[in-house]
Amino acid sequence: MKLVKIIGSVTSTIKDLSLQGFKLLLVQAVDTDLKDKHEFFIAVDTVGLGEGEIGLIVTGSTAKRTEITRHKNIDAAIIAKVERIDLENYNLES
Amino acid sequence: MKLVKIIGSVTSTIKDLSLQGFKLLLVQAVDTDLKDKHEFFIAVDTVGLGEGEIGLIVTGSTAKRTEITRHKNIDAAIIAKVERIDLENYNLES
Amino acid sequence: MKLVKIIGSVTSTIKDLSLQGFKLLLVQAVDTDLKDKHEFFIAVDTVGLGEGEIGLIVTGSTAKRTEITRHKNIDAAIIAKVERIDLENYNLES
Amino acid sequence: MKLVKIIGSVTSTIKDLSLQGFKLLLVQAVDTDLKDKHEFFIAVDTVGLGEGEIGLIVTGSTAKRTEITRHKNIDAAIIAKVERIDLENYNLES
Amino acid sequence: MKLVKIIGSVTSTIKDLSLQGFKLLLVQAVDTDLKDKHEFFIAVDTVGLGEGEIGLIVTGSTAKRTEITRHKNIDAAIIAKVERIDLENYNLES
């Protein structure tokens, strides 16, 4: 999994039927110190994150295995809200 | 998923049988502000996009799970038309 | 899928049994204007391409789903010959 | 698989149900001489590693095939503790 | 598949049960002229390669589909020994 920050969302009315009803989040990869990386994903949210919050993204075939995304044609999903990062040298409350 | 722009198409008469009848789009990855990235894909279109329009691409095994692409031997498909991108600082109508 | 050019081949007598009888092509990723990129793959050819020709490569688990490569232990296959690329600004006959 | 060093952990109370009870390790990719690379993963530990120790990470669908992680919605797992690296020119006890 | 050179091995006594009995090779990606690239993998050997020899690596879910690695929790396997590389301009006996 990778650390990402929610930075926005995408609106799509014409889309694969399996995506109906899902919010499509725009997320940005972040470093372990939460600094932005220049890498973006569109992901389905399974835990209810708001803008600016930190989460974990799974990519690939795993993204369509959660209770909420089963059989949905996606390759990226947010599966956890990150509340705290503990590193040897410092801790971050996100 | 990733944001891409439709920039052209590819013609192939000699190809895997499962690809017969599909238009093969040439798409370019774009940033959240729709600036071009130097990354290209050939993808099957499942939603009917035209040149210059913005869509979402899924890659990997998910690409062959949509109603339209089931059992097709592809690793990239367009699954949504993006009409609007909302970011903290600005909105984009694509 | 990605655009690739056939640039050579690889000889292997000691190999996984599922690979017996397959030609292993050495291919190079190319840009939309067919300029070489510094990215190479060894792929199984399912359409019969010769050196210098342009094709489409699928990677990952899809590579072992074609009629020809079913149950073969590969992660890259050529699934189409590219005869023409149409872009907004120019066309290329390959 | 890739060589990684355990550098911390992530706390998440709101997460996919399949992740309940698992420690989420923060790991950093390392080179063959154990020098840090600027690449990080959040992974589930299946072998019991502590901070500073070296392990092997599997990514993609394989991550959810171990005895411990079966049917868990993850794309990265630690599957081995690395005790020693033997190279042509030198050996490293990690 | 990708071209790799065997450069060493990794010792692990604490590991996923499915890995018991397998040698874990340390391999380095190489270019078509066999020059080293700065990319490394830990892979299970299915063909019996020695240090300095050139092989083909498969990554992802394919790695656990060979006779030898079936149901093993790995994401990288050596599936062929490369004896010769033929390019338009030169041949290499490895």
Side-chain angles (χ1 to χ4, degrees):
Chain A
M1 288 72 77
K2 295 285 179 82
L3 289 169
V4 294
K5 185 169 68 178
I6 315 306
I7 62 166
S9 62
V10 155
T11 303
S12 170
T13 55
I14 301 171
K15 58 187 167 188
D16 184 83
L17 286 176
S18 79
L19 298 181
Q20 301 296 341
F22 282 110
K23 190 164 188 189
L24 296 166
L25 292 184
L26 183 52
V27 305
Q28 179 164 21
V30 292
D31 253 325
T32 53
D33 55 3
L34 303 185
K35 283 213 190 89
D36 295 344
K37 297 178 73 169
H38 195 71
E39 193 184 5
F40 303 92
F41 302 91
I42 311 294
V44 167
D45 183 8
T46 74
V47 289
L49 290 194
E51 218 158 290
E53 291 189 305
I54 304 296
L56 294 186
I57 192 173
V58 288
T59 57
S61 62
T62 301
K64 55 182 187 290
R65 304 283 183 226
T66 75
E67 285 297 312
I68 291 167
T69 60
R70 202 165 302 269
H71 303 310
K72 305 305 175 193
N73 301 316
I74 62 171
D75 61 8
I78 306 296
I79 57 157
K81 177 181 178 182
V82 171
E83 290 124 14
R84 188 181 157 100
I85 298 172
D86 286 285
L87 286 159
E88 199 177 353
N89 303 319
Y90 59 98
N91 306 331
L92 278 175
E93 306 274 339
S94 72
Chain B
M1 288 73 76
K2 296 285 179 82
L3 290 168
V4 294
K5 185 170 67 178
I6 315 305
I7 61 166
S9 63
V10 155
T11 303
S12 171
T13 56
I14 301 170
K15 58 188 167 188
D16 184 83
L17 287 175
S18 79
L19 297 181
Q20 300 297 341
F22 282 111
K23 190 165 188 189
L24 296 166
L25 292 184
L26 183 52
V27 305
Q28 180 165 19
V30 292
D31 254 325
T32 53
D33 55 4
L34 304 185
K35 283 215 190 88
D36 295 344
K37 298 178 73 170
H38 195 71
E39 193 183 6
F40 303 92
F41 302 90
I42 311 295
V44 167
D45 182 10
T46 73
V47 289
L49 291 195
E51 218 158 290
E53 291 189 305
I54 303 296
L56 293 186
I57 192 173
V58 288
T59 56
S61 62
T62 300
K64 55 181 187 289
R65 303 283 183 226
T66 76
E67 284 297 312
I68 291 167
T69 60
R70 203 166 301 272
H71 303 310
K72 307 304 176 193
N73 301 316
I74 62 172
D75 61 7
I78 306 296
I79 57 156
K81 177 181 177 180
V82 171
E83 290 124 14
R84 189 181 157 100
I85 298 172
D86 286 286
L87 285 161
E88 199 178 352
N89 303 319
Y90 60 98
N91 306 331
L92 278 175
E93 306 274 338
S94 72
Chain C
M1 288 72 76
K2 296 285 178 80
L3 290 168
V4 294
K5 185 170 68 177
I6 315 305
I7 62 167
S9 62
V10 155
T11 304
S12 170
T13 55
I14 301 171
K15 58 187 167 187
D16 184 83
L17 286 175
S18 79
L19 297 180
Q20 301 296 341
F22 283 110
K23 190 167 187 187
L24 296 166
L25 292 184
L26 183 52
V27 305
Q28 181 165 20
V30 291
D31 254 324
T32 53
D33 55 3
L34 303 185
K35 283 214 189 90
D36 295 344
K37 297 178 74 169
H38 195 71
E39 192 183 7
F40 304 92
F41 301 91
I42 311 295
V44 167
D45 183 9
T46 73
V47 289
L49 291 195
E51 218 158 289
E53 292 189 303
I54 304 296
L56 294 186
I57 193 173
V58 289
T59 56
S61 61
T62 301
K64 55 180 187 289
R65 303 284 184 224
T66 77
E67 285 298 312
I68 291 167
T69 60
R70 203 165 302 271
H71 303 309
K72 306 306 176 192
N73 301 316
I74 62 171
D75 61 8
I78 306 296
I79 57 156
K81 177 181 176 180
V82 171
E83 289 122 15
R84 188 180 158 100
I85 298 172
D86 285 286
L87 286 161
E88 200 178 351
N89 303 320
Y90 59 98
N91 306 330
L92 277 175
E93 307 273 339
S94 72
Chain D
M1 288 73 77
K2 296 285 179 81
L3 290 167
V4 294
K5 185 169 69 177
I6 315 305
I7 62 166
S9 62
V10 155
T11 304
S12 170
T13 55
I14 301 171
K15 58 187 168 188
D16 185 82
L17 286 176
S18 79
L19 298 180
Q20 302 295 342
F22 283 110
K23 191 167 187 187
L24 296 166
L25 292 185
L26 182 52
V27 305
Q28 180 164 20
V30 292
D31 254 324
T32 53
D33 55 3
L34 303 186
K35 282 213 190 90
D36 295 344
K37 297 178 73 168
H38 195 71
E39 193 183 5
F40 303 91
F41 302 90
I42 311 295
V44 166
D45 183 9
T46 74
V47 288
L49 290 194
E51 217 158 290
E53 291 189 304
I54 304 296
L56 294 186
I57 193 173
V58 289
T59 56
S61 62
T62 301
K64 55 181 187 290
R65 303 283 183 226
T66 75
E67 285 297 312
I68 291 167
T69 60
R70 202 165 302 270
H71 304 310
K72 305 306 176 192
N73 300 317
I74 61 171
D75 61 8
I78 306 296
I79 57 156
K81 178 180 177 181
V82 172
E83 290 124 13
R84 188 181 158 101
I85 298 172
D86 286 285
L87 286 159
E88 199 178 353
N89 303 319
Y90 59 97
N91 306 331
L92 278 174
E93 306 273 340
S94 72
Chain E
M1 288 72 76
K2 296 285 179 80
L3 289 168
V4 294
K5 185 170 69 177
I6 315 305
I7 62 166
S9 62
V10 155
T11 304
S12 171
T13 55
I14 301 171
K15 58 188 168 188
D16 185 82
L17 286 176
S18 79
L19 297 180
Q20 302 295 342
F22 283 110
K23 191 167 186 186
L24 296 166
L25 292 185
L26 183 52
V27 305
Q28 181 165 20
V30 292
D31 255 324
T32 52
D33 55 3
L34 304 185
K35 283 212 190 91
D36 295 344
K37 297 178 72 169
H38 195 71
E39 192 183 6
F40 303 91
F41 301 91
I42 311 294
V44 167
D45 183 9
T46 74
V47 290
L49 290 194
E51 217 158 291
E53 291 189 305
I54 304 295
L56 294 185
I57 193 173
V58 288
T59 55
S61 61
T62 301
K64 54 181 187 289
R65 303 284 183 225
T66 76
E67 286 296 313
I68 291 167
T69 60
R70 202 166 302 272
H71 303 310
K72 306 305 176 192
N73 300 317
I74 62 171
D75 61 8
I78 306 297
I79 57 157
K81 178 182 177 180
V82 171
E83 290 123 14
R84 188 181 157 101
I85 298 172
D86 285 286
L87 286 160
E88 199 178 352
N89 302 319
Y90 59 97
N91 306 331
L92 277 175
E93 307 273 341
S94 71

